[in-house]
Amino acid sequence: MKKLYFLFFTITLSLASYGQTPVITAIVDGDCSGGLPKLLEIYADGMVDFSLYSLENQTNNSTTWGNTQDLSTLGIVTDGFVYISTSGSIDGTNGNPSTLGSEFPSLASATVLASNTINVNGDDRIRIILNSSGATVDQYGVDNTDGSGTTWEYTDSYAKRVDGTGPDAGFTEVNWTIPGSGTLNNLGTCQGGTDTFETLIGGIGTYSTTVSTTPTINVSGAVSGLDYFEANGPSNEGTFTVSGLNLTTDLTITAPANFEVSLTTGSGFASSVAITPAMGTIATTTIYTRLVAGLTSNSYTGDATVSSTGATDQTVMLSGTVSPADPQFTVSGFIGDFSYFEGSGPSTEDSFNVEGLFLTGDITITAPTNFEVSLTTGTGFGSSVSIAPTTGTVNSTEIFVRMASGLTANSYTGDITVSSPSVTDETISLNGTVSPVAVCANVGDIIITEIMQNPSAAGNDPNGEYFEVYNTTGSAIDIQSWIIKDDNQAGETHVIGSSLIVPPMGYVLITNAATPNGGITPDYTYANDISLGNSTDGIIIECGSTVIDQVIWDNGATFPDPTGASMELSINDLNSVANDDGANWAEAVTAFGSGDLGTPGDANDNASTLSVDDFDEKLENFNMFPNPTNTGFVNITTTSNSATTVSVFDMLGKQVISETLNNNLLNVSNLNAGIYLIRLDQTSGSVTKKLVIE
């Protein structure tokens, strides 16, 4: 036992002495489509058996390490580099191009492991752990910290380990060269550039275990967007980063003409600043820069120079603009369509914002005819409003807009005009509709009888969505100004804006698009105002505040759940109560248009239900006359001697008569004129017919 222990101790000491360990030496977050390629470079310092190690990541603001990738497949590597990348970078899966080979051509013969663990962003952390203990061997990024905005962030950029450093058993930022986020923005051959990412980052596989003694300076990318208006400088601040290794003198950052730099935000700006290294090292440091005050209107560019004795100078390009202080204003926001029913105006409000600089007079907002504006919500509406500037400035101000009351049923359009002296006018187009007052019918007079919530032919979802309504009465009903609503989405509402007559005992087809599903002809379209959910959703038809009918389907629990076929209500159940029950609905079986199944605008033919004029195969034939009737009685005869129970339902599904038939005569004198369903039950079965009372 002692000999075995001594042997284990000797091996462990040997491994520690000769540094046989993996080291993270580079990390890349590409700027090609999809943020590709993602790349992690690991150096095997000595003979490294990767079966002893795993890779983990920590994303966003998570404090948990996970997405563990066992590294066994990398095998045993001695003094060499291996790489981890995402499969999308390597082989173009998930619709991404294969970017690794094009942006890092030298990896063609390298060992590359595809792993989702490296599918991270430039503000995330990644580490190598020892499988036996879970101890951190090496790491990039500060533990438990979202790197967004930090000096170690590498979004659309990269970081490379300093020669002769690592592994760190954690993260030591000073051991890394970090040019800053955005260094690879819009670059690479994937974005039309002449240089690959490999060239832009100075190559891969360049790490050396030998400590460099050469003074070295690192800087991040260019700074742009340093702008101000004439006589209103200095500009906003921009930033870049600097770092240095093996420096023997101060690191000096010198601004070009018309710019200035500082080591702190908001103060300390000068033509140059200096940083003293600590033991030859300057950790990644943020430098603030801006355009100096007092410049005339123009564009300005120049290179900030970063220098230290014995090191090669580095430059950072700075650019900005001084704009003329001309009178100007900005209009922002979007105005939706307005609507109300005749006699119930004004419409609800919408709003936009205006702001201005260097103005010599008021900003005036003028509404077109039939619309009005105000500076306050709910009150103060008129044909125009004005805002007086303070020392030439109007801070962002909300302008409220609505369609005026008292308008007749019609469509209305016009342009709001925003104006101020010496500034070009801007306009905002307005649209509104005043709908006629809805003429409401009784609950259940109009019902929903067919719904195509999930079309599939020719990619017609959602364009091919439709639903069908049926008039259960003997009189035509115009549903103009009725409201279609989505049960599941509060914002999905459509007011039927034109006359839409549903004929007596007839159908109207209401669709999402004008020519859906092979060119079927709709009676009306709601043009994407309503979206029919494929799982659980519903359609509500309202008039005024009254729900005339609604159907709520339930992801297949009781209702059908078809794809490429409509849901059809049994024509035995044409009433607003029966169509609430999923058992009364079935999948359509008749092909139409582009190949989906349904009977849009026609009577349903679902095979699983009986027609109101069909007989149960076990029921003897019968006759019912007169039908229609205005005599107050109906004669019913059958060929069977068994007792006959008669049930009569109105079109709301309410039972109005239930009795056993005597002398073949049914008294209907107490029923109002209209359409009814009459069901006869005998021991051999049942049958349902339509009864019309005049």
Side-chain angles (χ1 to χ4, degrees), residues 428-452:
I428 302 174
S429 61
L430 304 179
N431 295 280
T433 302
V434 177
S435 301
V437 176
V439 178
C440 296
N442 296 318
V443 173
D445 284 355
I446 296 294
I447 64 171
I448 300 164
T449 54
E450 184 175 349
I451 301 166
M452 174 65 81

Side-chain angles (χ1 to χ4, degrees), residues 34 48 74 76 79 99 254 276 278 284 365 382 489-490 591 608 640 661 690:
V48 175
L74 294 174
I76 297 175
D79 296 333
T99 55
T254 304
T276 300
T284 303
I365 300 96
Q489 299 291 333
S608 63
S640 171
L661 188 64
K690 188 188 304 177

Side-chain angles (χ1 to χ4, degrees), residues 329 354-356 359 361-365 385-389 394 418-420:
F329 58 71
V354 297
E355 57 185 312
L359 300 174
D362 292 355
I363 295 179
T364 300
I365 300 96
V385 293
S386 293
I387 310 168
V394 169
V418 183
S419 60
S420 188

